[in-house]
Amino acid sequence: MSGVYARRLAVVAASAAFAATSALLTAPTAQAAMPTPVSASTARSYLSDLTVSPEGSSTGYSRDKFPHWITQSGACNTREVVLERDGTNVEQSSTCAAVSGSWYSEYDGATWTAASDLDIDHMVPLAEAWRSGASSWTTAQRQAFANDLTRPQLIAVTDNVNQSKGDKDPADWLPSRTSYRCTYARAWVHVKHYYGLKVDSAEKSALQGILNNC
């Protein structure tokens, strides 16, 4: 990892650690959507900057090495913050659990009224990140990545759709809702570029094909 990305990740990790230990009385203001990814033209530029390399090994990977759904404020963890952000008319219990609301899944166009039907997808999956460079990060850096509310890395989607995605990259899986694929590719590249992660040749080709038609 370059010095620039190492320093950037250290800052993100420190911010996450601070958020995890802060006891604020109110939850973050809802944005009503995943953070907007960079434009298609910027994504194309970012993609050309990424190191192209065969994926690394999954040896040693564990989701536990990416501590996620950490406390963000008060009783609210990352999952509950995203559910509140991405939903409409979301009501939360005293423990910050989403007890009612409506959620539109951008991947498949389904609408849900029970939070249990939603997963919080990591745009760049944790295992994919591990194979693309995160295996060399510290636990604090992986925690920052897994709970990143600033980049377009987390989004509430239909649970079984997220499970079908698994840890696949865009060469092997894309949202069935084709009108969202441009946003998906922009977000994927945005996250990988920010964290200095690599792409393999098939992944880059798939992303180029999408971005060239955005």
Side-chain angles (χ1 to χ4, degrees):
M1 188 188 313
S2 70
V4 172
Y5 288 120
R7 289 194 297 275
R8 182 182 286 168
L9 284 166
V11 171
V12 173
S15 298
F18 175 79
T21 56
S22 297
L24 302 180
L25 296 177
T26 57
T29 302
Q31 297 179 25
M34 177 182 76
T36 303
V38 295
S39 66
S41 60
T42 299
R44 287 191 289 269
S45 176
Y46 279 5
L47 183 59
S48 68
D49 290 340
L50 295 182
T51 298
V52 179
S53 176
E55 281 197 349
S57 171
S58 292
T59 300
Y61 168 73
S62 167
R63 287 179 67 85
D64 292 341
K65 293 184 177 180
F66 292 79
H68 53 290
W69 308 168
I70 62 172
T71 299
Q72 292 289 343
S73 65
C76 301
N77 66 22
T78 307
R79 172 181 165 83
E80 298 301 343
V81 171
V82 175
L83 284 172
E84 198 267 343
R85 182 198 72 188
D86 289 4
T88 301
N89 298 323
V90 177
E91 294 187 6
Q92 296 173 304
S93 71
S94 59
T95 59
C96 209
V99 295
S100 66
S102 176
W103 291 268
Y104 178 77
S105 173
E106 295 283 6
Y107 288 0
D108 59 331
T111 297
W112 303 97
T113 56
S116 58
D117 289 321
L118 284 298
D119 277 355
I120 307 304
D121 179 45
H122 288 95
M123 178 64 62
V124 175
L126 305 182
E128 163 70 19
W130 178 270
R131 297 190 298 266
S132 303
S135 60
S136 66
W137 296 353
T138 65
T139 299
Q141 289 167 342
R142 289 193 287 265
Q143 175 177 297
F145 174 83
N147 296 275
D148 190 349
L149 295 167
T150 305
R151 264 61 54 182
Q153 166 65 346
L154 300 173
I155 184 171
V157 297
T158 303
D159 53 3
N160 62 357
V161 172
N162 181 52
Q163 291 152 24
S164 73
K165 172 183 173 178
D167 63 355
K168 302 180 183 73
D169 70 33
D172 298 313
W173 189 92
L174 288 168
S176 61
R177 186 168 160 254
T178 56
S179 61
Y180 194 69
R181 290 181 179 178
C182 179
T183 301
Y184 187 85
R186 288 160 48 209
W188 183 282
V189 173
H190 185 157
V191 172
K192 279 221 162 177
H193 184 269
Y194 183 85
Y195 285 98
L197 295 170
K198 301 174 183 177
V199 290
D200 63 46
S201 57
E203 175 187 356
K204 182 175 182 178
S205 179
L207 289 163
Q208 283 177 325
I210 298 166
L211 293 171
N212 286 340
N213 289 296
C214 285

